[in-house]
Amino acid sequence: MALTGIKVIEFAGLAPGPFAGLVLADNGADVIRVDRPSAAPADILCRGKRSIVIDTKVESGRDLARQLIAAADIVIDPFRPGVMEKLGLGPEVFLGDGSQPGSNKKLIYARMIGYLILCFKGPHKDMAGHDINYLALTGILSMLPGLGKPSFPVNLLADFAGGGLMCVLGILLALIERQANGLGQVVDTNMASYYPRVSGTRYLGSFPLIHSSTSSPLFGGKRGENILDGGAPFYNLYACKDGGLMSVGCLEPKFFRTFIEHFLQYLPDNFSLAGAWRPTANTHSNTNEWPKLREFLELGFKTHPRDFWAQVFHGTDNYLMRYGCVCGSSLEPREAGTLASNPIPLPHPQVARVSGTQVKPPLIPALPLRPGQHTAEILDILGVDSSKRKQLALNGVFGELDPTARPHSKL
């Protein structure tokens, strides 16, 4: 695999940090998660990782953490600005500070925080936050569809796309450059920031944000009045007779023509709005008729259950898919898992030497990784002997964990 032999130290965190570690592990990297003593096994993004417990509040614990990082290729820091520096684990310890060399010049030090990072400045640098807070500062949340107020897409955009995935991108770029010069560097990933106005989530939103600064019909108007934010009736969700949902996405006129022709065929006889109004293929480009078209579609879809409509449109070239149906593309999580033959998402993209080759990644259980599960194994690799382990244990580095205990199973 592409990252085989790459050693990663991931300090335990929530959502974006573990996801970055998961992507690296899924592509062959050896990822060791550093957990706090007595930490609860809350992280489920742990496939292929190992865990060691270290209390970094203890000096000998910090020494052990420095030993781990000094031998690593990558470290993932999920904490607020300055936390790792206060522990004596900041990037200058390993990469050098300009006047003195560090202990690991090839280290890629990936920092991922919610707000700001440049010189640890900014109005939000010490604030806690979550995806919805980060998203609110990027300008993207205010553009999302919703009646009266925008609807937020759970915690996918800022945490995982603008945070975790952008962090992985930065790490891979740093790895490529390291091949040329042998030097590591710091990868800064902010999920949201308006000081210094850089953010992974804003970068991710380049398409709608740039359009919003113009008179573009895609995002140039008020929220809910544009083509892609619910303003166009041919790009929206519609409830069916049984409460199921259908997603309609007919941006191109030829796809709308196919859609509306099929739709009209399966409506009750004489179904129309006041004045016997019924849409035609030309309604797609006539914005004055969009309110009527929206009402027509809302009432029309309610004449049959979603399974009926899914059967009508299955296989047609109009991008209309049942929402929450086995025959469609927008499935409930359980149904999607059944269709994929695995309830747990598998690594993606697939990388193969021959185009079209189906690569089957190892099906490693994505079970909660017990904090400290591989402590003894990792100490073996570091060459920490039994007497040193006993001393570390007496110092409280491992909490109540027995550093000689072996894991019952491996992920």
Side-chain angles (χ1 to χ4, degrees):
M1 302 180 77
L3 299 180
T4 297
I6 297 296
K7 299 177 181 179
V8 181
I9 304 301
E10 172 199 321
F11 282 82
L14 294 174
F19 181 65
L22 174 72
V23 174
L24 297 175
D26 281 340
N27 287 279
D30 177 11
V31 180
I32 294 176
R33 190 182 73 195
V34 178
D35 286 292
R36 296 183 297 271
S38 304
D43 173 29
I44 61 170
L45 301 176
C46 53
R47 181 172 53 217
K49 301 178 185 179
R50 293 181 291 174
S51 169
I52 183 173
V53 162
I54 300 178
D55 188 348
T56 53
K57 294 181 179 179
V58 179
E59 180 58 38
S60 53
R62 294 192 288 273
D63 289 340
L64 182 60
R66 277 190 283 269
Q67 185 179 353
L68 267 176
I69 299 173
D73 295 284
I74 300 163
V75 64
I76 298 175
D77 166 17
F79 304 121
R80 297 186 207 177
V83 170
M84 291 288 275
E85 282 75 7
K86 290 178 181 178
L87 293 173
L89 301 172
E92 69 283 349
V93 174
F94 308 99
L95 296 174
D97 59 5
S99 60
Q100 294 184 351
S103 60
N104 186 359
K105 67 176 184 178
K106 66 180 178 63
L107 179 69
I108 295 168
Y109 199 105
R111 300 191 287 199
M112 183 160 30
I113 61 171
Y115 304 109
L116 185 69
I117 205 149
L118 185 63
C119 300
F120 303 147
K121 297 177 181 178
H124 300 86
K125 72 179 181 67
D126 293 321
M127 290 176 56
H130 290 288
D131 182 283
I132 191 171
N133 309 118
Y134 309 144
L135 197 59
L137 284 182
T138 65
I140 295 174
L141 179 59
S142 64
M143 301 176 67
L144 299 179
L147 295 176
K149 61 180 181 180
S151 298
F152 56 93
V154 292
N155 65 329
L156 288 175
L157 283 183
D159 275 354
F160 293 102
L165 205 54
M166 281 293 181
C167 182
V168 171
L169 174 60
I171 288 171
L172 296 180
L173 291 174
L175 280 173
I176 292 172
E177 186 169 344
R178 193 181 74 174
Q179 290 178 334
N181 58 26
L183 299 176
Q185 41 191 328
V186 177
V187 175
D188 285 337
T189 307
N190 302 313
M191 284 170 276
S193 174
Y194 55 78
Y195 182 100
R197 297 178 177 83
V198 294
S199 151
T201 310
R202 275 188 62 81
Y203 187 48
L204 182 77
S206 294
F207 180 79
L209 288 172
I210 293 173
H211 272 288
S212 70
S213 65
T214 69
S215 57
S216 164
L218 295 179
F219 287 104
K222 295 180 180 179
R223 183 177 59 82
E225 297 179 0
N226 305 286
I227 289 178
L228 295 179
D229 64 1
F234 45 78
Y235 196 82
N236 215 322
L237 293 172
Y238 292 94
C240 301
K241 186 176 182 179
D242 60 350
L245 296 174
M246 295 291 288
S247 61
V248 178
C250 307
L251 295 178
E252 297 83 356
K254 65 177 182 179
F255 294 147
F256 179 76
R257 177 185 296 275
T258 304
F259 160 69
I260 205 65
E261 289 175 353
H262 278 74
F263 189 68
L264 293 174
Q265 288 179 30
Y266 292 91
L267 292 176
D269 293 340
N270 300 319
F271 182 90
S272 64
L273 298 184
W277 186 90
R278 287 165 67 90
T280 68
N282 293 329
T283 307
H284 181 273
S285 58
N286 188 346
T287 56
N288 292 328
E289 292 192 329
W290 281 8
K292 291 182 179 180
L293 175 60
R294 186 185 309 279
E295 182 183 2
F296 189 89
L297 295 179
E298 289 174 348
L299 296 175
F301 273 113
K302 289 181 178 179
T303 60
H304 298 292
R306 67 178 185 181
D307 286 355
F308 175 88
W309 288 118
Q311 192 62 36
V312 167
F313 291 104
H314 180 65
T316 60
D317 193 15
N318 61 9
Y319 292 176
L320 186 145
M321 301 159 289
R322 182 174 53 165
Y323 183 90
C325 162
V326 174
C327 296
S329 297
S330 295
L331 308 179
E332 297 289 340
R334 190 183 301 270
E335 294 172 312
T338 300
L339 187 64
S341 302
N342 197 320
I344 299 172
L346 296 179
H348 194 79
Q350 294 186 346
V351 181
R353 296 191 185 280
V354 180
S355 177
T357 301
Q358 293 297 313
V359 179
K360 293 185 179 180
L363 299 180
I364 305 172
L367 302 175
L369 176 59
R370 189 173 71 252
Q373 183 173 331
H374 305 89
T375 296
E377 177 184 328
I378 295 168
L379 292 175
D380 286 344
I381 295 172
L382 290 175
V384 179
D385 59 30
S386 59
S387 61
K388 179 65 173 178
R389 294 184 197 201
K390 290 179 181 179
Q391 186 59 52
L392 290 172
L394 289 174
N395 293 344
V397 171
F398 309 115
E400 298 179 357
L401 183 74
D402 180 0
T404 64
R406 302 289 167 176
H408 297 293
S409 63
K410 295 183 180 179
L411 290 180

Coordinates of all heavy atoms in Angstrom, one line a residue, residues 87-123:
L87 N 3.4 21.4 26.7 CA 3.8 20.1 27.1 C 5.3 19.9 26.7 O 5.9 18.8 27.0 CB 2.9 19.0 26.5 CG 1.5 19.0 27.0 CD1 0.7 18.0 26.2 CD2 1.4 18.7 28.5
G88 N 5.9 20.8 26.0 CA 7.2 20.6 25.5 C 7.2 19.6 24.3 O 8.2 18.9 24.0
L89 N 6.1 19.6 23.6 CA 6.0 18.7 22.4 C 5.6 19.4 21.1 O 5.1 18.9 20.2 CB 4.9 17.6 22.7 CG 5.1 16.7 23.9 CD1 3.8 15.9 24.2 CD2 6.3 15.8 23.8
G90 N 6.0 20.7 21.1 CA 5.7 21.5 19.9 C 6.6 21.2 18.8 O 7.6 20.5 18.9
P91 N 6.3 21.7 17.6 CA 7.1 21.3 16.4 C 8.5 21.7 16.5 O 9.4 21.1 15.9 CB 6.3 22.1 15.3 CG 5.5 23.1 15.9 CD 5.2 22.6 17.3
E92 N 8.8 22.8 17.2 CA 10.2 23.3 17.3 C 11.1 22.3 18.0 O 12.3 22.2 17.7 CB 10.3 24.7 18.0 CG 10.0 24.7 19.4 CD 8.5 24.5 19.8 OE1 7.7 24.7 18.8 OE2 8.2 24.3 20.9
V93 N 10.6 21.5 18.9 CA 11.3 20.4 19.6 C 11.9 19.4 18.6 O 13.0 18.9 18.7 CB 10.5 19.7 20.6 CG1 11.3 18.6 21.3 CG2 10.0 20.7 21.7
F94 N 11.2 19.1 17.6 CA 11.5 18.1 16.6 C 12.1 18.6 15.3 O 13.0 18.0 14.7 CB 10.3 17.2 16.4 CG 9.7 16.7 17.6 CD1 8.5 17.3 18.1 CD2 10.2 15.6 18.3 CE1 7.9 16.9 19.3 CE2 9.6 15.2 19.5 CZ 8.5 15.8 20.0
L95 N 11.6 19.7 14.9 CA 12.0 20.3 13.6 C 13.1 21.4 13.8 O 13.7 21.8 12.8 CB 10.8 20.9 12.8 CG 9.7 19.9 12.4 CD1 8.5 20.7 11.8 CD2 10.3 18.9 11.4
G96 N 13.3 21.8 15.0 CA 14.3 22.9 15.2 C 13.6 24.2 15.3 O 12.5 24.4 14.7
D97 N 14.2 25.2 15.9 CA 13.7 26.5 16.0 C 14.4 27.6 15.2 O 14.2 28.8 15.4 CB 13.6 26.9 17.5 CG 15.0 26.9 18.1 OD1 16.0 26.7 17.4 OD2 15.0 27.2 19.4
G98 N 15.3 27.1 14.3 CA 16.1 28.1 13.5 C 17.5 28.3 14.0 O 18.4 28.6 13.3
S99 N 17.6 28.2 15.4 CA 18.9 28.4 16.0 C 19.5 27.0 16.4 O 20.7 26.9 16.4 CB 18.8 29.3 17.2 OG 17.9 28.7 18.2
Q100 N 18.7 26.1 16.7 CA 19.1 24.7 17.1 C 18.3 23.7 16.3 O 17.1 23.8 16.1 CB 19.0 24.5 18.6 CG 19.8 25.4 19.5 CD 19.7 25.1 21.0 OE1 18.8 24.3 21.3 NE2 20.5 25.7 21.8
P101 N 19.0 22.6 16.0 CA 18.3 21.5 15.3 C 17.4 20.8 16.2 O 17.6 20.7 17.4 CB 19.4 20.6 14.7 CG 20.6 20.9 15.7 CD 20.5 22.3 16.1
G102 N 16.3 20.2 15.7 CA 15.4 19.4 16.5 C 15.8 17.9 16.5 O 16.9 17.5 15.9
S103 N 15.0 17.1 17.1 CA 15.4 15.7 17.2 C 14.8 14.8 16.1 O 15.1 13.6 16.0 CB 14.8 15.1 18.6 OG 13.4 15.3 18.6
N104 N 14.1 15.5 15.2 CA 13.5 14.7 14.0 C 13.2 15.6 12.9 O 12.1 16.1 12.7 CB 12.2 14.0 14.5 CG 11.7 13.0 13.4 OD1 12.2 12.9 12.3 ND2 10.6 12.4 13.7
K105 N 14.2 15.9 12.1 CA 14.1 16.9 11.0 C 13.2 16.5 9.9 O 12.7 17.3 9.1 CB 15.5 17.3 10.5 CG 16.1 16.1 9.7 CD 17.5 16.6 9.1 CE 18.1 15.5 8.3 NZ 19.4 16.0 7.6
K106 N 12.9 15.2 9.8 CA 12.0 14.7 8.8 C 10.5 14.6 9.2 O 9.7 14.2 8.4 CB 12.5 13.3 8.3 CG 12.3 12.2 9.4 CD 12.8 10.9 8.8 CE 12.6 9.8 9.9 NZ 11.2 9.5 10.3
L107 N 10.2 15.1 10.4 CA 8.9 14.9 10.9 C 7.9 15.9 10.2 O 8.2 17.0 10.0 CB 8.9 15.2 12.4 CG 7.5 15.2 13.1 CD1 7.0 13.7 13.2 CD2 7.6 15.8 14.5
I108 N 6.7 15.3 9.9 CA 5.6 16.2 9.4 C 4.6 16.4 10.6 O 4.0 15.4 11.0 CB 4.9 15.5 8.2 CG1 5.9 15.4 7.0 CG2 3.7 16.2 7.8 CD1 5.5 14.5 5.9
Y109 N 4.6 17.6 11.0 CA 3.8 17.9 12.2 C 2.5 18.5 11.8 O 2.4 19.7 11.4 CB 4.6 18.9 13.0 CG 4.2 19.0 14.5 CD1 5.0 18.5 15.5 CD2 3.0 19.7 14.8 CE1 4.6 18.6 16.8 CE2 2.7 19.8 16.2 CZ 3.4 19.3 17.2 OH 3.1 19.4 18.5
A110 N 1.4 17.8 11.9 CA 0.1 18.2 11.4 C -0.8 18.7 12.5 O -1.1 18.0 13.4 CB -0.6 17.1 10.7
R111 N -1.1 20.0 12.5 CA -1.9 20.6 13.5 C -3.3 20.9 13.0 O -3.5 21.4 11.9 CB -1.3 21.9 14.0 CG 0.1 21.7 14.6 CD 0.5 23.0 15.3 NE 0.9 24.0 14.4 CZ 1.7 25.1 14.8 NH1 2.2 25.1 16.0 NH2 2.0 26.0 13.9
M112 N -4.3 20.4 13.7 CA -5.7 20.6 13.2 C -6.6 21.2 14.3 O -6.7 20.6 15.4 CB -6.3 19.3 12.8 CG -7.7 19.3 12.2 SD -8.0 17.9 11.2 CE -7.1 16.6 12.0
I113 N -7.0 22.4 14.1 CA -7.8 23.1 15.1 C -9.0 23.7 14.5 O -9.1 23.8 13.3 CB -7.0 24.2 15.9 CG1 -6.5 25.2 14.9 CG2 -5.8 23.5 16.6 CD1 -5.9 26.4 15.6
G114 N -9.9 24.2 15.3 CA -11.1 24.8 14.8 C -10.9 26.2 14.3 O -11.3 26.6 13.3
Y115 N -10.3 27.0 15.2 CA -10.1 28.4 14.9 C -8.6 28.8 14.8 O -7.9 28.6 15.8 CB -10.7 29.3 16.0 CG -12.2 29.0 16.3 CD1 -12.6 28.4 17.4 CD2 -13.1 29.4 15.3 CE1 -13.9 28.2 17.7 CE2 -14.5 29.2 15.6 CZ -14.9 28.5 16.8 OH -16.2 28.3 17.0
L116 N -8.2 29.4 13.7 CA -7.0 30.1 13.6 C -5.7 29.4 14.1 O -5.8 28.5 14.9 CB -7.1 31.4 14.5 CG -5.9 32.3 14.5 CD1 -5.9 33.0 13.1 CD2 -6.0 33.3 15.5
I117 N -4.6 29.7 13.5 CA -3.4 29.1 14.0 C -2.2 30.0 13.8 O -1.2 29.9 14.6 CB -3.1 27.8 13.2 CG1 -2.2 26.9 14.1 CG2 -2.5 28.0 11.9 CD1 -2.5 25.4 13.9
L118 N -2.2 31.0 13.0 CA -1.0 31.8 12.7 C -0.6 32.6 14.0 O -1.3 33.4 14.5 CB -1.3 32.8 11.6 CG -0.1 33.6 11.1 CD1 1.0 32.7 10.6 CD2 -0.5 34.7 10.1
C119 N 0.5 32.2 14.5 CA 1.1 32.9 15.7 C 0.1 32.8 16.9 O 0.3 33.5 17.9 CB 1.4 34.3 15.4 SG 2.6 34.6 14.1
F120 N -0.8 31.8 16.8 CA -1.8 31.6 17.9 C -2.5 32.9 18.3 O -2.8 33.2 19.4 CB -1.1 31.1 19.2 CG -0.3 29.8 18.9 CD1 0.8 29.5 19.6 CD2 -0.8 28.9 18.0 CE1 1.5 28.4 19.4 CE2 -0.1 27.7 17.8 CZ 1.1 27.5 18.5
K121 N -2.9 33.7 17.2 CA -3.6 34.9 17.5 C -5.0 34.7 17.0 O -5.4 33.7 16.5 CB -2.9 36.1 16.7 CG -1.5 36.4 17.2 CD -1.0 37.5 16.3 CE 0.5 37.9 16.7 NZ 1.1 38.9 15.8
G122 N -5.8 35.8 17.2 CA -7.2 35.8 16.7 C -8.2 35.7 17.8 O -7.9 35.2 18.9
P123 N -9.4 36.2 17.5 CA -10.4 36.3 18.6 C -11.0 35.0 19.1 O -11.6 35.0 20.2 CB -11.5 37.1 17.9 CG -11.3 36.9 16.4 CD -9.9 36.7 16.3

